[in-house]
Amino acid sequence: MTFLPSLGYGGQVIGALIILIGALLLWLVVRFLIARSVTRVQNGYSVFKKPHFKWAQPALRPFDSARRVQRAQTIGGLLSSVSAGTIAIIAVLMAIETLGFTIGPILASVGIVGIAIGFGAREVIRDAFLGFFITIEDQYGIGDTIEVGDTVGVVQSLGLRITRMVDADGAIWYVRNGDITKVGNRSQGEYAPPTDPATPATPKVQA
């Protein structure tokens, strides 16, 4: 895209600047829409707060209080990051092409660097993906008592990489989402704590 061809290379520079400014405006619009959607989710659905919908409130547990806020913030943050990265990459490549450079070798170099970064950060990427699915599927949330391996505690925060929980002794546990292969949620369903076994009778000693 060349603005005012009579300006020559100056027109190409102006065209590149227009692309970057347009990308910035697009990002501001996308961020506004994401923030608005997150706010609406955090505030809940007002239709279900009406008296004649009280019967449905127990079924809306995933949308309640801190759990709803946490899920909305996590998903909103992920959408913002993905949108910003996508818009920035496309805008920069279009601006470079407008300046007259060939982007083929650049794309090849970016692909090689991306593969190297992917291998180096595969654990981080795995943690983020699993944290995203934990949030989307509502496997557990803030305030839930969960069991991960030999650790039982209450979830304090749930991020894309780390789940933070506190056990009965007050110790804070930071568990990578990628390390969670099986988790038990004691706050869902009808969990009943095990009762203490009966004290065995003391054997009688014969004289």
Side-chain angles (χ1 to χ4, degrees), residues 37-125:
S37 299
V38 169
T39 302
R40 292 185 63 181
V41 173
Q42 289 177 344
N43 292 334
Y45 299 93
S46 58
V47 66
F48 293 110
K49 296 180 180 179
K50 297 181 179 179
H52 53 276
F53 277 110
K54 286 185 177 181
W55 59 269
Q57 292 178 1
L60 301 177
R61 183 172 179 272
F63 303 102
D64 286 339
S65 60
R67 177 190 295 269
R68 180 182 63 242
V69 173
Q70 181 74 19
R71 295 180 70 194
Q73 289 176 345
T74 302
I75 297 173
L78 180 63
L79 291 177
S80 297
S81 300
V82 173
S83 300
T86 302
I87 293 174
I89 292 174
I90 294 176
V92 169
L93 291 178
M94 290 179 63
I96 292 176
E97 187 177 17
T98 301
L99 292 174
F101 295 96
T102 304
I103 63 174
I106 297 176
L107 291 176
S109 301
V110 170
I112 295 174
V113 173
I115 293 174
I117 294 176
F119 276 112
R122 60 184 183 274
E123 295 297 333
V124 176
I125 297 174

